[in-house]
PDB file of all heavy atoms in Angstrom:
ATOM      1  N   VAL T 196       4.686  60.567-101.738  1.00 90.00           N
ATOM      2  CA  VAL T 196       5.110  61.921-101.397  1.00 90.00           C
ATOM      3  C   VAL T 196       5.177  62.102 -99.884  1.00 90.00           C
ATOM      4  O   VAL T 196       6.156  62.659 -99.348  1.00 90.00           O
ATOM      5  CB  VAL T 196       4.150  62.947-102.028  1.00 90.00           C
ATOM      6  CG1 VAL T 196       4.377  64.336-101.445  1.00 90.00           C
ATOM      7  CG2 VAL T 196       4.327  62.986-103.536  1.00 90.00           C
ATOM      8  N   SER T 197       4.155  61.643 -99.169  1.00 86.00           N
ATOM      9  CA  SER T 197       4.128  61.794 -97.715  1.00 86.00           C
ATOM     10  C   SER T 197       5.266  61.039 -97.053  1.00 86.00           C
ATOM     11  O   SER T 197       5.907  61.543 -96.114  1.00 86.00           O
ATOM     12  CB  SER T 197       2.780  61.315 -97.168  1.00 86.00           C
ATOM     13  OG  SER T 197       1.715  62.029 -97.751  1.00 86.00           O
ATOM     14  N   THR T 198       5.534  59.846 -97.550  1.00 83.00           N
ATOM     15  CA  THR T 198       6.618  59.053 -96.966  1.00 83.00           C
ATOM     16  C   THR T 198       7.971  59.707 -97.222  1.00 83.00           C
ATOM     17  O   THR T 198       8.826  59.771 -96.321  1.00 83.00           O
ATOM     18  CB  THR T 198       6.598  57.629 -97.547  1.00 83.00           C
ATOM     19  OG1 THR T 198       5.314  57.055 -97.335  1.00 83.00           O
ATOM     20  CG2 THR T 198       7.651  56.765 -96.881  1.00 83.00           C
ATOM     21  N   THR T 199       8.177  60.188 -98.438  1.00 85.00           N
ATOM     22  CA  THR T 199       9.435  60.867 -98.759  1.00 85.00           C
ATOM     23  C   THR T 199       9.626  62.107 -97.901  1.00 85.00           C
ATOM     24  O   THR T 199      10.725  62.376 -97.396  1.00 85.00           O
ATOM     25  CB  THR T 199       9.456  61.244-100.249  1.00 85.00           C
ATOM     26  OG1 THR T 199       9.222  60.084-101.043  1.00 85.00           O
ATOM     27  CG2 THR T 199      10.790  61.860-100.626  1.00 85.00           C
ATOM     28  N   PHE T 200       8.553  62.857 -97.714  1.00 87.00           N
ATOM     29  CA  PHE T 200       8.646  64.055 -96.881  1.00 87.00           C
ATOM     30  C   PHE T 200       8.955  63.690 -95.433  1.00 87.00           C
ATOM     31  O   PHE T 200       9.716  64.385 -94.753  1.00 87.00           O
ATOM     32  CB  PHE T 200       7.341  64.835 -96.962  1.00 87.00           C
ATOM     33  CG  PHE T 200       7.352  66.130 -96.202  1.00 87.00           C
ATOM     34  CD1 PHE T 200       7.928  67.267 -96.739  1.00 87.00           C
ATOM     35  CD2 PHE T 200       6.787  66.215 -94.936  1.00 87.00           C
ATOM     36  CE1 PHE T 200       7.940  68.460 -96.035  1.00 87.00           C
ATOM     37  CE2 PHE T 200       6.795  67.407 -94.222  1.00 87.00           C
ATOM     38  CZ  PHE T 200       7.373  68.534 -94.778  1.00 87.00           C
ATOM     39  N   ALA T 201       8.356  62.596 -94.947  1.00 81.00           N
ATOM     40  CA  ALA T 201       8.612  62.179 -93.570  1.00 81.00           C
ATOM     41  C   ALA T 201      10.065  61.782 -93.370  1.00 81.00           C
ATOM     42  O   ALA T 201      10.628  61.969 -92.285  1.00 81.00           O
ATOM     43  CB  ALA T 201       7.694  61.011 -93.206  1.00 81.00           C
ATOM     44  N   LEU T 202      10.688  61.249 -94.398  1.00 80.00           N
ATOM     45  CA  LEU T 202      12.085  60.831 -94.279  1.00 80.00           C
ATOM     46  C   LEU T 202      13.047  62.011 -94.305  1.00 80.00           C
ATOM     47  O   LEU T 202      14.171  61.901 -93.812  1.00 80.00           O
ATOM     48  CB  LEU T 202      12.429  59.863 -95.412  1.00 80.00           C
ATOM     49  CG  LEU T 202      11.642  58.539 -95.415  1.00 80.00           C
ATOM     50  CD1 LEU T 202      11.989  57.715 -96.646  1.00 80.00           C
ATOM     51  CD2 LEU T 202      11.920  57.741 -94.148  1.00 80.00           C
ATOM     52  N   LEU T 203      12.613  63.120 -94.911  1.00 83.00           N
ATOM     53  CA  LEU T 203      13.484  64.293 -95.003  1.00 83.00           C
ATOM     54  C   LEU T 203      13.248  65.209 -93.806  1.00 83.00           C
ATOM     55  O   LEU T 203      12.735  66.312 -93.925  1.00 83.00           O
ATOM     56  CB  LEU T 203      13.233  65.041 -96.313  1.00 83.00           C
ATOM     57  CG  LEU T 203      13.589  64.292 -97.594  1.00 83.00           C
ATOM     58  CD1 LEU T 203      13.204  65.109 -98.812  1.00 83.00           C
ATOM     59  CD2 LEU T 203      15.064  63.944 -97.632  1.00 83.00           C
ATOM     60  N   ARG T 204      13.616  64.742 -92.633  1.00 77.00           N
ATOM     61  CA  ARG T 204      13.449  65.557 -91.426  1.00 77.00           C
ATOM     62  C   ARG T 204      14.320  66.805 -91.519  1.00 77.00           C
ATOM     63  O   ARG T 204      15.463  66.752 -91.968  1.00 77.00           O
ATOM     64  CB  ARG T 204      13.839  64.746 -90.200  1.00 77.00           C
ATOM     65  CG  ARG T 204      13.769  65.525 -88.884  1.00 77.00           C
ATOM     66  CD  ARG T 204      14.225  64.671 -87.724  1.00 77.00           C
ATOM     67  NE  ARG T 204      13.249  63.627 -87.452  1.00 77.00           N
ATOM     68  CZ  ARG T 204      12.173  63.789 -86.688  1.00 77.00           C
ATOM     69  NH1 ARG T 204      11.936  64.974 -86.141  1.00 77.00           N
ATOM     70  NH2 ARG T 204      11.347  62.801 -86.482  1.00 77.00           N
ATOM     71  N   ASN T 205      13.759  67.942 -91.118  1.00 72.00           N
ATOM     72  CA  ASN T 205      14.483  69.209 -91.187  1.00 72.00           C
ATOM     73  C   ASN T 205      15.446  69.320 -90.013  1.00 72.00           C
ATOM     74  O   ASN T 205      15.307  70.148 -89.113  1.00 72.00           O
ATOM     75  CB  ASN T 205      13.494  70.383 -91.172  1.00 72.00           C
ATOM     76  CG  ASN T 205      14.173  71.694 -91.522  1.00 72.00           C
ATOM     77  OD1 ASN T 205      15.328  71.724 -91.904  1.00 72.00           O
ATOM     78  ND2 ASN T 205      13.438  72.784 -91.382  1.00 72.00           N
ATOM     79  N   ASP T 206      16.440  68.465 -90.044  1.00 69.00           N
ATOM     80  CA  ASP T 206      17.427  68.411 -88.962  1.00 69.00           C
ATOM     81  C   ASP T 206      18.731  67.887 -89.554  1.00 69.00           C
ATOM     82  O   ASP T 206      18.867  66.705 -89.848  1.00 69.00           O
ATOM     83  CB  ASP T 206      16.937  67.502 -87.840  1.00 69.00           C
ATOM     84  CG  ASP T 206      17.883  67.511 -86.646  1.00 69.00           C
ATOM     85  OD1 ASP T 206      18.729  68.417 -86.585  1.00 69.00           O
ATOM     86  OD2 ASP T 206      17.757  66.614 -85.792  1.00 69.00           O
ATOM     87  N   GLY T 207      19.690  68.775 -89.750  1.00 61.00           N
ATOM     88  CA  GLY T 207      20.942  68.375 -90.368  1.00 61.00           C
ATOM     89  C   GLY T 207      21.009  68.853 -91.803  1.00 61.00           C
ATOM     90  O   GLY T 207      20.429  69.876 -92.169  1.00 61.00           O
ATOM     91  N   THR T 208      21.708  68.095 -92.612  1.00 62.00           N
ATOM     92  CA  THR T 208      21.895  68.473 -94.011  1.00 62.00           C
ATOM     93  C   THR T 208      21.268  67.424 -94.912  1.00 62.00           C
ATOM     94  O   THR T 208      20.927  66.318 -94.481  1.00 62.00           O
ATOM     95  CB  THR T 208      23.385  68.598 -94.345  1.00 62.00           C
ATOM     96  OG1 THR T 208      24.004  67.307 -94.234  1.00 62.00           O
ATOM     97  CG2 THR T 208      24.073  69.573 -93.398  1.00 62.00           C
ATOM     98  N   LEU T 209      21.127  67.778 -96.180  1.00 60.00           N
ATOM     99  CA  LEU T 209      20.558  66.851 -97.144  1.00 60.00           C
ATOM    100  C   LEU T 209      21.455  65.633 -97.321  1.00 60.00           C
ATOM    101  O   LEU T 209      20.968  64.498 -97.418  1.00 60.00           O
ATOM    102  CB  LEU T 209      20.356  67.567 -98.486  1.00 60.00           C
ATOM    103  CG  LEU T 209      19.761  66.720 -99.617  1.00 60.00           C
ATOM    104  CD1 LEU T 209      18.382  66.214 -99.222  1.00 60.00           C
ATOM    105  CD2 LEU T 209      19.682  67.535-100.903  1.00 60.00           C
ATOM    106  N   ALA T 210      22.762  65.839 -97.320  1.00 59.00           N
ATOM    107  CA  ALA T 210      23.686  64.706 -97.457  1.00 59.00           C
ATOM    108  C   ALA T 210      23.576  63.750 -96.277  1.00 59.00           C
ATOM    109  O   ALA T 210      23.591  62.532 -96.446  1.00 59.00           O
ATOM    110  CB  ALA T 210      25.122  65.228 -97.593  1.00 59.00           C
ATOM    111  N   ASP T 211      23.416  64.312 -95.077  1.00 61.00           N
ATOM    112  CA  ASP T 211      23.270  63.463 -93.891  1.00 61.00           C
ATOM    113  C   ASP T 211      21.999  62.625 -93.960  1.00 61.00           C
ATOM    114  O   ASP T 211      21.992  61.446 -93.603  1.00 61.00           O
ATOM    115  CB  ASP T 211      23.255  64.325 -92.622  1.00 61.00           C
ATOM    116  CG  ASP T 211      24.588  65.025 -92.384  1.00 61.00           C
ATOM    117  OD1 ASP T 211      25.611  64.541 -92.924  1.00 61.00           O
ATOM    118  OD2 ASP T 211      24.593  66.052 -91.684  1.00 61.00           O
ATOM    119  N   ARG T 212      20.910  63.239 -94.412  1.00 58.00           N
ATOM    120  CA  ARG T 212      19.657  62.493 -94.494  1.00 58.00           C
ATOM    121  C   ARG T 212      19.744  61.354 -95.501  1.00 58.00           C
ATOM    122  O   ARG T 212      19.233  60.256 -95.281  1.00 58.00           O
ATOM    123  CB  ARG T 212      18.504  63.432 -94.892  1.00 58.00           C
ATOM    124  CG  ARG T 212      18.258  64.590 -93.950  1.00 58.00           C
ATOM    125  CD  ARG T 212      18.090  64.149 -92.511  1.00 58.00           C
ATOM    126  NE  ARG T 212      17.031  63.154 -92.368  1.00 58.00           N
ATOM    127  CZ  ARG T 212      16.800  62.470 -91.247  1.00 58.00           C
ATOM    128  NH1 ARG T 212      17.591  62.654 -90.191  1.00 58.00           N
ATOM    129  NH2 ARG T 212      15.812  61.611 -91.191  1.00 58.00           N
ATOM    130  N   ILE T 213      20.410  61.588 -96.627  1.00 57.00           N
ATOM    131  CA  ILE T 213      20.554  60.543 -97.647  1.00 57.00           C
ATOM    132  C   ILE T 213      21.391  59.383 -97.112  1.00 57.00           C
ATOM    133  O   ILE T 213      21.091  58.206 -97.347  1.00 57.00           O
ATOM    134  CB  ILE T 213      21.167  61.140 -98.929  1.00 57.00           C
ATOM    135  CG1 ILE T 213      20.193  62.147 -99.548  1.00 57.00           C
ATOM    136  CG2 ILE T 213      21.503  60.047 -99.931  1.00 57.00           C
ATOM    137  CD1 ILE T 213      20.736  62.852-100.767  1.00 57.00           C
ATOM    138  N   VAL T 214      22.447  59.714 -96.363  1.00 53.00           N
ATOM    139  CA  VAL T 214      23.293  58.654 -95.807  1.00 53.00           C
ATOM    140  C   VAL T 214      22.504  57.812 -94.807  1.00 53.00           C
ATOM    141  O   VAL T 214      22.611  56.582 -94.780  1.00 53.00           O
ATOM    142  CB  VAL T 214      24.543  59.275 -95.143  1.00 53.00           C
ATOM    143  CG1 VAL T 214      25.308  58.215 -94.353  1.00 53.00           C
ATOM    144  CG2 VAL T 214      25.443  59.893 -96.203  1.00 53.00           C
ATOM    145  N   LEU T 215      21.671  58.456 -93.986  1.00 51.00           N
ATOM    146  CA  LEU T 215      20.906  57.728 -92.978  1.00 51.00           C
ATOM    147  C   LEU T 215      19.862  56.801 -93.599  1.00 51.00           C
ATOM    148  O   LEU T 215      19.458  55.808 -92.984  1.00 51.00           O
ATOM    149  CB  LEU T 215      20.208  58.720 -92.040  1.00 51.00           C
ATOM    150  CG  LEU T 215      21.129  59.521 -91.095  1.00 51.00           C
ATOM    151  CD1 LEU T 215      20.323  60.543 -90.324  1.00 51.00           C
ATOM    152  CD2 LEU T 215      21.861  58.584 -90.141  1.00 51.00           C
TER     153      LEU T 215
END
Side-chain angles (χ1 to χ4, degrees):
V196 167
S197 302
T198 304
T199 305
F200 183 81
L202 297 175
L203 295 176
R204 177 182 290 275
N205 192 7
D206 185 15
T208 65
L209 180 61
D211 294 338
R212 301 307 305 171
I213 294 177
V214 170
L215 291 175

